[in-house]
Amino acid sequence: MVLLSGTSRLVSGDVKGNFQQLFSRVTSIQKKSGQFDLLICVGDFFDEEVEEWTAYIEGKCKVPIPTLILGPNKVEHVKYYGIQDGCELTDNVTYLGKKGIFTGNTGLKIAYLSGVESPNGVSDDIHFSGSEVLSLTKLLDEDSKGVDILVTSQWPKGVTNYGSTLDDADTEVCGSETISQLCLRLHPRYHFCSLSGIHYERQPYRNHQILAEKERHVTRFIALAKYGAPKKKKFLYAFSITPMCLVEQKELTQQPQDVTECPYKFTPLTSVLTLQEEQTGPQFFYDLNQDIEDSNRRKRKGDSDGRSFSKKRSQTTGPCWFCLGNAEVEKQLVVSVGNHTYLALPKGGLISEHSLILTIGHTQSTVMLLQEEHREIEEYPLTLRECFKKQKKAVVFFERNYRTQHLQIQAVPVPNDCVMEMKEIFIQCAQENDFELHEIPQLSDIKQIVPPGVPYFYVELPSGDKLLHRISKNFPLQFG
């Protein structure tokens, strides 16, 4: 099979043995839209019935387009692949193999991983293990920017984080943590998968740490439904792509308007291989004497392991006046209490409506929040904005993680006619105090930008603008 030199591709979800219908549909699309160079099939290509496939094997039916398929996900389908790891099954249909990186004659790089994650870490005909994924990542050159396309059958775990919600599937159940880690290392421009019968096209996510790393290209994740799904559940996806090796760096790294943070948390692949061993005891990942890059990696691992955070964040240098369990807390100032967080009035607020969002237990800053705390703490800003909207006011939220032991998110309402001035005022005041506030993308998450233990000042303005300063030395405590 020879790949043509164009850039138009088609990707299909689970074919489930509906070969004639699939290839008829492809032929129809090509008549209307022009020729496509390649069809990639993810998910279950075969089903229990073999009659249709026999016609293609015997040459009675022709495949109209070069087609790449992944390996089996079920034991019953293994017989269709034989014992070879990568081969041409019939004219124009190629089984890629268990894992690898396929480079076309145009330079397009397609990484592939067949099967589903092994429940016991043992690889077989339909299961992949962490060790196989580790070897796959080593196929990429150290100076490589990543791959153009990643195809897997199984979903990655946690792909909906920071993205649009998904009601029809739970990636914690159907997703693979190992595939999530693979995405973090391969930086695919597109990632396609299937198996869950759902079409889900996520907002693109970035592959770099804002203010800490050079800009990278974004990743677009698309899950496809199976053949025969209702119209709203797309099973075929057409797109054009120029190999990244032929794209100028500036164009390649351009960030779209709706880009979000990366949904995955970095975990060393060695820990994926020994997950059961790691679960037998607490792990400690933080060493603030290491450089920022190491801190980033440890932060992201700690964020995926609640035990690590709780150990580190429980350390205080003395009594904390904001832990709700402390007998010295002035409870008459408490306004509202949730499961993990609470709202209170400050002593000597800037205005009468000034309030504080805090955690019930001891947490130093937003970047140290546990997942359940983070989810709940996001509800207070929504409620406060709605509350003050009725008074024709908007709310400024800011946090100073410097010379303070406990997370305090300050919420200060301002008149609507002040909103457009707020950004300029903050930046100007910062300059007058000899430091700089950096603007960060509106869809960014500070937990993805600032490592644990690093002091910072952070503000979210009613306009949607977000400003950040990493504190390195003398910072005016009353700046906010």
Side-chain angles (χ1 to χ4, degrees):
M1 180 181 68
V2 178
L3 298 188
L4 306 179
S5 58
T7 59
S8 298
R9 310 286 190 259
L10 273 173
V11 184
S12 166
D14 303 272
V15 179
K16 296 284 187 182
N18 295 287
F19 308 118
Q20 291 182 5
Q21 296 96 319
L22 169 68
F23 294 129
S24 294
R25 180 75 178 275
V26 170
T27 300
S28 175
I29 291 173
Q30 292 195 120
K31 286 180 180 178
K32 293 179 181 178
S33 307
Q35 291 294 309
F36 285 82
D37 304 334
L38 180 66
L39 169 65
I40 306 172
C41 299
V42 295
D44 289 328
F45 185 70
F46 293 100
D47 205 1
E48 309 310 311
E49 299 296 328
V50 297
E51 189 173 334
E52 276 194 24
W53 183 239
T54 302
Y56 288 93
I57 292 291
E58 295 176 350
K60 297 176 182 178
C61 295
K62 301 293 184 182
V63 178
I65 183 173
T67 302
L68 301 178
I69 71 170
L70 292 175
N73 306 297
K74 298 176 182 177
V75 175
E76 310 89 85
H77 299 167
V78 174
K79 59 188 177 186
Y80 300 122
Y81 293 85
I83 59 173
Q84 295 181 335
D85 189 8
C87 61
E88 189 166 73
L89 299 184
T90 189
D91 187 34
N92 253 2
V93 177
T94 298
Y95 160 44
L96 284 167
K98 193 69 179 291
K99 66 180 185 303
I101 296 177
F102 179 97
T103 304
N105 57 7
T106 62
L108 190 77
K109 285 187 177 181
I110 304 174
Y112 56 91
L113 179 65
S114 296
V116 294
E117 184 169 6
S118 171
N120 55 12
V122 178
S123 176
D124 57 33
D125 290 333
I126 64 171
H127 293 106
F128 61 81
S129 64
S131 58
E132 286 178 308
V133 172
L134 185 60
S135 66
L136 175 55
T137 63
K138 292 178 179 178
L139 295 177
L140 206 62
D141 298 333
E142 288 186 7
D143 58 348
S144 175
K145 298 174 184 176
V147 298
D148 293 293
I149 302 171
L150 170 64
V151 287
T152 63
S153 287
Q154 191 174 11
W155 286 46
K157 183 178 289 188
V159 69
T160 57
N161 293 336
Y162 309 118
S164 52
T165 57
L166 179 63
D167 297 327
D168 300 332
D170 182 359
T171 64
E172 293 297 315
V173 176
C174 70
S176 162
E177 173 64 23
T178 306
I179 291 179
S180 301
Q181 297 304 310
L182 181 64
C183 295
L184 280 171
R185 288 158 174 81
L186 295 186
H187 307 298
R189 294 166 68 195
Y190 283 87
H191 179 191
F192 296 95
C193 69
S194 193
L195 279 190
S196 294
I198 297 166
H199 169 237
Y200 175 70
E201 190 165 348
R202 191 197 185 282
Q203 298 98 321
Y205 65 83
R206 62 176 61 89
N207 285 297
H208 64 276
Q209 296 288 302
I210 300 174
L211 303 181
E213 296 175 323
K214 290 183 179 179
E215 280 193 339
R216 286 181 177 268
H217 57 266
V218 301
T219 295
R220 289 173 168 82
F221 172 83
I222 297 104
L224 295 166
K226 62 182 179 180
Y227 178 83
K231 289 184 178 180
K232 289 184 180 180
K233 295 186 176 182
K234 186 186 295 185
F235 92 96
L236 268 178
Y237 185 91
F239 69 112
S240 295
I241 183 171
T242 301
M244 70 169 68
C245 61
L246 303 178
V247 182
E248 292 289 335
Q249 181 70 9
K250 185 176 181 180
E251 180 184 350
L252 184 66
T253 59
Q254 189 172 358
Q255 306 292 297
Q257 288 276 340
D258 58 343
V259 67
T260 76
E261 292 299 324
C262 178
Y264 314 120
K265 308 300 180 185
F266 190 97
T267 302
L269 273 174
T270 50
S271 71
V272 175
L273 300 178
T274 57
L275 184 58
Q276 291 181 337
E277 292 180 18
E278 289 194 353
Q279 290 175 339
T280 60
Q283 303 291 311
F284 304 96
F285 303 117
Y286 301 110
D287 179 359
L288 298 180
N289 294 321
Q290 297 296 321
D291 59 31
I292 287 179
E293 183 178 356
D294 287 339
S295 295
N296 274 334
R297 287 198 289 266
R298 290 189 173 95
K299 177 201 73 171
R300 289 180 286 208
K301 181 173 180 182
D303 192 33
S304 65
D305 188 335
R307 292 173 289 109
S308 308
F309 264 115
S310 60
K311 273 288 181 182
K312 178 67 183 177
R313 70 202 204 115
S314 64
Q315 299 173 4
T316 63
T317 57
C320 179
W321 309 109
F322 296 100
C323 289
L324 202 54
N326 189 330
E328 301 300 320
V329 170
E330 298 190 37
K331 294 184 172 58
Q332 74 274 13
L333 297 175
V334 175
V335 177
S336 167
V337 180
N339 294 321
H340 308 284
T341 59
Y342 71 100
L343 186 73
L345 299 176
K347 286 184 176 180
L350 297 175
I351 55 175
S352 59
E353 299 100 334
H354 184 175
S355 59
L356 302 175
I357 304 171
L358 312 105
T359 51
I360 292 174
H362 189 78
T363 307
Q364 185 184 8
S365 65
T366 295
V367 299
M368 299 295 285
L369 285 170
L370 295 177
Q371 203 169 43
E372 60 269 20
E373 293 172 333
H374 191 269
R375 279 195 296 264
E376 187 173 299
I377 216 164
E378 286 182 327
E379 295 177 10
Y380 276 118
L382 294 174
T383 304
L384 289 171
R385 288 187 184 107
E386 191 63 29
C387 171
F388 289 109
K389 184 178 179 181
K390 298 173 183 177
Q391 301 179 27
K392 296 184 179 181
K393 293 181 180 180
V395 187
V396 175
F397 298 93
F398 64 89
E399 177 190 5
R400 170 176 55 83
N401 177 32
Y402 178 65
R403 296 190 179 179
T404 179
Q405 292 191 66
H406 196 109
L407 163 70
Q408 302 167 52
I409 298 176
Q410 315 276 341
V412 183
V414 296
N416 283 341
D417 56 10
C418 295
V419 168
M420 301 311 296
E421 303 173 43
M422 298 306 300
K423 180 179 174 182
E424 183 181 346
I425 291 172
F426 266 95
I427 292 175
Q428 182 180 339
C429 288
Q431 291 172 347
E432 291 172 358
N433 283 274
D434 297 322
F435 69 90
E436 188 174 359
L437 280 170
H438 296 276
E439 188 171 358
I440 61 176
Q442 294 190 13
L443 292 175
S444 61
D445 184 343
I446 190 173
K447 293 182 72 175
Q448 295 285 329
I449 301 173
V450 182
V454 173
Y456 61 85
F457 177 85
Y458 172 67
V459 58
E460 290 188 17
L461 300 174
S463 58
D465 293 300
K466 296 181 178 181
L467 304 174
L468 173 69
H469 171 66
R470 287 190 182 186
I471 300 171
S472 57
K473 58 182 180 179
N474 303 325
F475 181 82
L477 297 183
Q478 302 303 323
F479 175 76

